[in-house]
Amino acid sequence: MNNDSQGKRDRAQEIESVYKRFSRTSLLRLRIRRYIRSISWLFAISLAFLTKRALDLAISTILIFFLSPFLLMGWFLSGRSFNKTPRLGKWGVIFDELSFTPQNQLAERIIRFLHIARIPVLINILKGDMSVVGPLPASPGDLSLREKAVRRRYNVRPGLISLWWIRKRANIDYATELDVDMEYIQTHSALSDIGVCLRAIPAILYGQGVPTVPDQIEILGITINNLTMTEAIDTIVDWSASSGARQICFLNADCANIAYRNSTYLSVLNNASLCLADGVGLKLAGKLLGQDIAQNVNGTDMFPMLCKSLSERNVGLFLLGARAEVVEGVADWVHKNHPNLKLAGFHHGYFTPEEEPGIVEQIRDSGAGILLVAFGVPKQDLWIQNHLLELNVGVAMGVGGLFDFYSGRIPRAPLWMREIGMEWFFRFMQEPGRLWKRYFVGNTVFLSRVFREKLFGKK
Ligand code: UDP
């Protein structure tokens, strides 16, 4: 009886709470909440556009104000007019991009000296034809707007600074311009635009655009093959598919310091079929010596593109080095990301001298066209030189810590850090105890030696 009335009371309470939940006011509240939630999307999207436009307005107004003497000077030097170049704007609408056209040689020299030829673009930004950050503007005849991918590039205003331009200046242009533009369009926000503006500063300071570079350059007695990433991969894959054993080395500032003390390693570098420039230290050295480096060609960036090319050419890959679980991790990465690539074999890098002949035989019999060796510098490069002729591979190259990255043992620096040439700082933060000397002392010593070479010539 007691239980019965308790049950009834519970039910009544339940009904009351359900009723309360659906009473008119709570239903209204629910509806409003849902409505706000649905329009908050719209609100957020319009805010993003508005803030981007607000940012453009603020930046262009401030810059026009401060640069107005130069704007006026350029305008007079251009015969009191602007040069107008037709460009494709947002949604494919054509607008005139403004610049200066100097009227005589002296005017031209002044404008070039002051680097002010493009500042009238600020007026385009103020008017809303362009943005501070966006894909670079193209001429109306340049691109086929009939292609959907190309058309999507014009969902946003073209920009004075583009992500592609920064990557090219930082020598990271491994994707096409359209790919980078689409990446920007899909991910941009007012905040990321501010990030792009900040990254443009180092790009302006040490970047060089697309330089005409010498094929070979020499830094501290080391001959470097000045190739771009694509040229290097094409050469390496061609050699891997052919007979003849070739050694390839990557050279960064730390390697150059080791070669300075270790003449055997120096001669390995100079006798290698390719010695490729890796990292911001080399780039600065090239700049100091007036010999521009074509691109930052490092093994870690190269690896996925190399795997792709090797699988297209059906060339086998052998991985040698690092701890057993690390090299296994790289093998897993290869299987997962490049299932068509023939992984001819792998072996860890902590073997005894007695085990060595067996490993050499394993590589020789594996049918691999290319061998990557990761023992660290200079051990890997000396090992390759000593065994190259017994290995029966087209190419053997030393790749340092590459296996640690692709096995996931060490995370790689985010792209924005690589864009501003700060990957080394990210690495330093991971292992400060081991790496402070290499980066802070090593890079300073390297650059001061390069500086001495510039002042007093080769040692
Ligand atoms: N390593 C190896 N055998 C050795 C010494 C090192 O396989 O006798 C591996 C080590 O596990 C690491 C790789 O070599 O995965 C690169 O080492 P380190 O980071 O020192 O080289 P770096 O890239 O700095 O030249």
Side-chain angles (χ1 to χ4, degrees):
M1 189 65 191
N2 232 350
N3 267 354
D4 235 27
S5 61
Q6 178 66 34
K8 268 182 197 160
R9 236 177 289 140
D10 284 350
R11 267 179 65 81
Q13 264 175 4
E14 203 179 314
I15 290 167
E16 200 183 349
S17 87
V18 169
Y19 178 77
K20 252 192 204 154
R21 228 186 304 148
F22 290 101
S23 71
R24 251 196 224 165
T25 43
S26 47
L27 266 180
L28 192 68
R29 223 177 294 148
L30 210 73
R31 265 194 213 136
I32 292 174
R33 216 177 292 156
R34 258 197 219 146
Y35 181 70
I36 290 177
R37 210 176 300 153
S38 64
I39 64 161
S40 65
W41 264 99
L42 260 176
F43 186 70
I45 291 170
S46 25
L47 197 72
F49 279 107
L50 277 180
T51 41
K52 185 168 168 63
R53 184 75 194 114
L55 203 72
D56 286 342
L57 280 172
I59 293 179
S60 55
T61 314
I62 294 168
L63 286 179
I64 287 175
F65 177 76
F66 282 108
L67 298 175
S68 53
F70 294 107
L71 254 174
L72 272 176
M73 185 200 287
W75 187 66
F76 275 110
L77 290 172
S78 305
R80 284 194 258 171
S81 69
F82 290 116
N83 178 39
K84 294 178 179 168
T85 317
R87 297 286 193 201
L88 276 176
K90 194 176 176 183
W91 311 127
V93 175
I94 294 172
F95 70 94
D96 286 328
E97 185 183 332
L98 306 177
S99 59
F100 292 134
T101 32
Q103 290 299 295
N104 52 51
Q105 262 196 351
L106 178 69
E108 189 185 332
R109 235 179 273 159
I110 296 173
I111 287 177
R112 204 179 321 135
F113 176 74
L114 294 171
H115 292 282
I116 57 172
R118 288 203 68 209
I119 60 169
V121 165
L122 293 172
I123 300 173
N124 287 113
I125 297 174
L126 192 69
K127 278 170 62 193
D129 299 329
M130 284 176 69
S131 216
V132 176
V133 183
L136 292 183
S139 304
D142 274 6
L143 294 165
S144 152
L145 280 176
R146 249 173 272 146
E147 279 175 47
K148 201 171 162 199
V150 178
R151 246 190 352 255
R152 286 181 59 200
R153 189 176 184 263
Y154 293 94
N155 289 353
V156 296
R157 292 185 179 88
L160 174 64
I161 306 167
S162 85
L163 195 58
W164 161 256
W165 176 81
I166 292 181
R167 297 232 176 117
K168 221 159 69 163
R169 302 278 288 193
N171 283 353
I172 316 179
D173 56 343
Y174 312 137
T176 67
E177 182 172 3
L178 189 62
D179 290 338
V180 179
D181 286 343
M182 293 320 296
E183 179 192 325
Y184 170 77
I185 289 166
Q186 279 155 15
T187 57
H188 80 94
S189 65
L191 204 67
S192 72
D193 274 7
I194 295 174
V196 173
C197 290
L198 292 177
R199 265 134 61 208
I201 299 168
I204 292 167
L205 291 181
Y206 66 61
Q208 65 206 1
V210 186
T212 39
V213 293
D215 292 344
Q216 279 196 347
I217 58 181
E218 207 187 305
I219 293 177
L220 300 179
I222 306 162
T223 307
I224 296 162
N225 301 89
N226 204 11
L227 304 186
T228 63
M229 182 66 92
T230 317
E231 288 166 346
I233 293 174
D234 288 349
T235 311
I236 293 170
V237 175
D238 277 347
W239 286 348
S240 305
S242 63
S243 56
R246 291 175 167 101
Q247 176 162 14
I248 293 173
C249 302
F250 292 96
L251 181 84
N252 59 27
D254 182 48
C255 303
N257 283 344
I258 296 171
Y260 199 84
R261 311 184 288 266
N262 183 336
S263 60
T264 318
Y265 175 52
L266 176 69
S267 84
V268 168
L269 289 174
N270 280 332
N271 287 317
S273 298
L274 281 184
C275 179
L276 301 165
D278 164 3
V280 68
L282 264 272
K283 184 173 169 155
L284 288 174
K287 260 213 148 344
L288 265 175
L289 295 173
Q291 308 181 77
D292 281 331
I293 300 272
Q295 216 166 47
N296 173 357
V297 186
N298 64 79
T300 316
D301 280 329
M302 181 189 279
F303 190 53
M305 290 176 274
L306 184 66
C307 288
K308 186 165 172 271
S309 291
L310 290 171
S311 52
E312 281 162 9
R313 296 279 291 270
N314 201 24
V315 177
L317 167 73
F318 198 105
L319 308 167
L320 175 66
R323 305 227 161 259
E325 64 280 9
V326 172
V327 70
E328 270 166 35
V330 186
D332 286 345
W333 184 92
V334 170
H335 283 311
K336 211 166 115 202
N337 293 280
H338 298 276
N340 295 327
L341 173 56
K342 202 170 86 195
L343 188 62
F346 58 87
H347 198 286
H348 65 78
Y350 293 89
F351 48 81
T352 59
E354 293 74 42
E355 290 167 323
E356 193 173 86
I359 293 166
V360 170
E361 200 179 317
Q362 191 189 338
I363 298 167
R364 193 171 50 227
D365 297 342
S366 71
I370 180 167
L371 166 72
L372 305 192
V373 184
F375 300 157
V377 174
K379 190 175 173 188
Q380 58 195 22
D381 308 279
L382 300 179
W383 191 90
I384 291 175
Q385 200 208 26
N386 286 335
H387 296 92
L388 191 60
L389 298 176
E390 315 160 53
L391 294 168
N392 192 28
V393 290
V395 166
M397 57 185 196
V399 291
L402 184 147
F403 293 0
D404 293 302
F405 291 121
Y406 284 91
S407 63
R409 194 184 82 78
I410 298 177
R412 225 179 145 201
L415 190 54
W416 69 266
M417 276 191 115
R418 285 184 262 152
E419 280 170 2
I420 59 170
M422 293 296 278
E423 181 164 23
W424 65 271
F425 186 71
F426 185 84
R427 277 292 289 128
F428 162 72
M429 293 301 283
Q430 289 165 325
E431 294 175 78
R434 187 171 80 97
L435 296 175
W436 71 270
K437 205 166 161 196
R438 180 187 298 187
Y439 290 131
F440 289 100
V441 182
N443 281 338
T444 316
V445 168
F446 170 69
L447 287 174
S448 56
R449 280 181 186 144
V450 172
F451 200 63
R452 200 169 58 205
E453 181 166 305
K454 184 187 167 71
L455 292 181
F456 305 113
K458 287 172 196 142
K459 205 178 78 164

